[in-house]
């Protein structure tokens, strides 16, 4: 899991909370230096800090939730895999000569049960992000993911995918290697797999890059994650030719977990620790593990054919609307 002893990275809306916590620290230091009992005052200020944190994170806008989803310390696919699995063996390569580091996956044990875990992997710092291409997969990444999912289907292992990408890599090399075909192939093939498939948006779920590993029986999202057809910045640039309107685009796109739950796209919203998953990664991993086990237990009651039909009907119902005449 992410190291928590480093200097915290503050988002704009967290600054009032940081100032209050700094004040608490200063009072505690002064009290120790002067041998003064300020226990009651500290208790009052700490309760105020908890309340303020709850108020801030319970009323975030879509654009602010996007900031949380992109937080550099937010737990990644590797973090969750290592935290929730009993054993983990990473598998590499698409069997076509490439191994995309933006997509990671392998065989694991979840509560003693063999499963296939895979997802996009962002970097922890600039150097790592460049290596991982900021979690933007190339065609080889989606082909590697499909190879692992076919392996899981062959050996009757449930598939757990973790979505965290701004989108598939859109560079010239990706187009030359068939990016559109690779994603489309995954979409088609994931519908035919017999084993349970649970997809979880753990951070940023962007466009076809997210959908390339996002066809499943269940779709879960963490509370401060986002799932969108295009980034708000891209949407603003397309619609208004003004990226400064990204905040307005974020609201219009309905990208939050609460929005998608209301639209019937999301199956389960996972509550995050107060302050976001990055504030308590182990607690977030515990929440995720419980949800995965519960959903797997439900899906185990179905046959492969029933799961395929469920998957098909789930996606057929997305975007359905009714015209109302005046």
């Amino acid at each position: 899991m992410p190291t928590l002893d480093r200097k915290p990275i503050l988002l704009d809306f967290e600054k009032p909370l940081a100032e209050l916590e700094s004040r608490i620290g200063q009072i505690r230091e002064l009290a120790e230096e002067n041998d003064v009992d300020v226990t009651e005052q500290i208790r009052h200020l700490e309760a105020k800090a908890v309340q303020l944190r709850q108020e801030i994170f319970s009323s975030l806008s879509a654009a602010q939730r996007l900031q949380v989803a992109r937080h550099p310390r937010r737990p990644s696919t590797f973090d969750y895999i290592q935290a929730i699995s009993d054993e983990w063996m990473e598998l590499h390569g698409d069997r076509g000569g490439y191994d995309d580091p933006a997509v990671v996956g392998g065989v694991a044990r979840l509560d003693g049960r063999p499963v296939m875990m895979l997802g996009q992997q962002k970097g922890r710092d600039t150097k790592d992000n460049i290596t991982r291409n900021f979690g933007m997969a190339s065609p080889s990444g989606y082909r590697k993911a499909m190879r692992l999912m076919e392996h899981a289907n062959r050996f009757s292992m449930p598939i757990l995918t973790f979505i965290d990408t701004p989108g598939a890599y859109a560079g010239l090399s990706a187009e030359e290697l068939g990016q559109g075909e690779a994603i489309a192939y995954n979409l088609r093939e994931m519908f035919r797999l017999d084993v349970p498939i649970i997809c979880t948006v753990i951070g940023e779920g962007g466009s076809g890059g997210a959908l390339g590993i996002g066809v499943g029986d269940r779709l879960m999202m963490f509370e401060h994650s986002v799932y969108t057809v295009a980034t708000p910045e891209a949407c603003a640039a397309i619609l208004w030719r003004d990226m400064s309107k990204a905040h307005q685009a974020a609201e219009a796109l309905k990208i939050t977990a609460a929005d998608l739950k209301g639209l019937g796209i999301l199956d389960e919203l996972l509550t995050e620790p107060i302050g976001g998953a990055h504030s308590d990664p182990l607690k977030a991993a515990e929440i995720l593990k419980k949800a995965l086990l519960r959903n797997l237990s439900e899906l185990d009651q179905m046959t492969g054919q029933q799961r395929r039909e469920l998957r098909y009907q789930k996606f057929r119902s997305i975007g359905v609307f009714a015209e109302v005449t005046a």
Side-chain angles (χ1 to χ4, degrees):
M1 302 301 286
T3 303
L4 299 179
D5 57 356
R6 293 175 292 177
K7 185 178 179 180
I9 298 174
L10 292 176
L11 301 174
D12 291 341
F13 54 84
E14 291 181 297
K15 289 180 180 178
L17 178 62
E19 291 171 1
L20 178 57
E21 290 177 339
S22 175
R23 182 182 168 196
I24 293 172
Q26 291 171 358
I27 292 174
R28 185 178 281 113
E29 288 178 7
L30 287 172
E32 290 176 355
E33 290 174 2
N34 296 282
D35 196 23
V36 179
D37 184 9
V38 292
T39 304
E40 191 60 34
Q41 293 91 324
I42 291 293
R43 186 181 296 114
H44 174 73
L45 288 173
E46 287 179 338
K48 186 176 179 181
V50 170
Q51 182 181 1
L52 180 58
R53 185 182 294 274
Q54 290 175 330
E55 290 174 355
I56 289 174
F57 280 87
S58 64
S59 59
L60 296 179
S61 67
Q64 288 171 329
R65 291 188 193 277
L66 178 61
Q67 286 183 272
V68 179
R70 291 173 173 172
H71 198 288
R73 304 276 169 80
R74 192 168 177 84
S76 67
T77 293
F78 263 148
D79 294 325
Y80 282 122
I81 288 175
Q82 292 168 358
I84 70 177
S85 61
D86 308 322
E87 296 179 60
W88 155 251
M89 178 181 292
E90 186 177 1
L91 302 176
H92 295 272
D94 65 349
R95 295 298 184 264
Y98 298 94
D99 181 32
D100 185 358
V103 173
V104 297
V107 179
R109 287 187 184 276
L110 181 68
D111 209 25
R113 178 179 184 175
V115 295
M116 182 66 72
M117 296 184 181
L118 59 100
Q120 288 104 356
Q121 177 67 32
K122 292 181 178 179
R124 281 282 166 227
D125 51 36
T126 302
K127 182 179 179 181
D128 195 20
N129 258 320
I130 291 173
T131 299
R132 302 277 180 190
N133 199 29
F134 298 85
M136 296 185 293
S138 66
S140 64
Y142 292 102
R143 289 168 183 145
K144 174 168 73 171
M146 195 66 241
R147 180 180 76 81
L148 299 185
M149 288 188 278
E150 288 174 343
H151 178 85
N153 193 59
R154 187 177 305 118
F155 291 97
S156 301
M157 292 186 289
I159 298 168
L160 311 177
T161 74
F162 305 109
I163 298 168
D164 188 16
T165 180
Y169 181 51
L172 180 61
S173 61
E175 295 304 315
E176 289 174 342
L177 292 172
Q179 184 71 286
E181 184 275 340
I183 293 174
Y185 182 84
N186 280 22
L187 296 181
R188 185 188 72 189
E189 294 302 298
M190 289 184 79
F191 277 106
R192 71 166 178 81
L193 300 178
D194 292 320
V195 296
I197 306 175
I198 302 176
C199 307
T200 307
V201 183
I202 61 173
E204 187 177 8
S207 193
L211 272 177
I213 59 169
V215 176
D217 311 308
R218 295 279 194 276
L219 174 62
M220 306 193 301
M221 282 180 67
F222 271 107
E223 179 182 2
H224 301 307
S225 294
V226 297
Y227 204 17
T228 174
V229 67
T231 64
E233 294 87 351
C235 179
I238 293 169
L239 292 183
W240 298 291
R241 298 185 180 180
D242 183 359
M243 288 182 63
S244 67
K245 293 187 177 181
H247 180 91
Q248 183 178 343
E251 295 293 340
L253 284 167
K254 304 297 182 186
I255 64 177
T256 70
D259 289 331
L260 295 170
K261 182 70 173 175
L263 291 169
I265 296 172
L266 180 64
D267 295 301
E268 185 170 349
L269 188 157
L270 305 180
T271 303
E272 296 187 24
I274 299 173
H278 61 279
S279 68
D280 192 348
L282 291 177
K283 179 63 177 177
E286 180 184 342
I287 293 168
L288 174 61
K289 184 175 182 178
K290 288 180 179 178
L292 289 171
L293 290 172
R294 183 177 64 255
N295 279 277
L296 276 178
S297 178
E298 294 172 4
L299 293 170
D300 283 340
Q301 307 305 312
M302 304 179 189
T303 64
Q305 182 177 351
Q306 288 173 326
R307 285 191 290 264
R308 290 197 305 272
E309 181 63 21
L310 173 69
R311 213 173 296 154
Y312 176 77
Q313 294 300 335
K314 172 180 173 57
F315 281 83
R316 287 290 293 175
S317 66
I318 293 176
V320 172
F321 63 93
E323 292 186 5
V324 180
T325 56

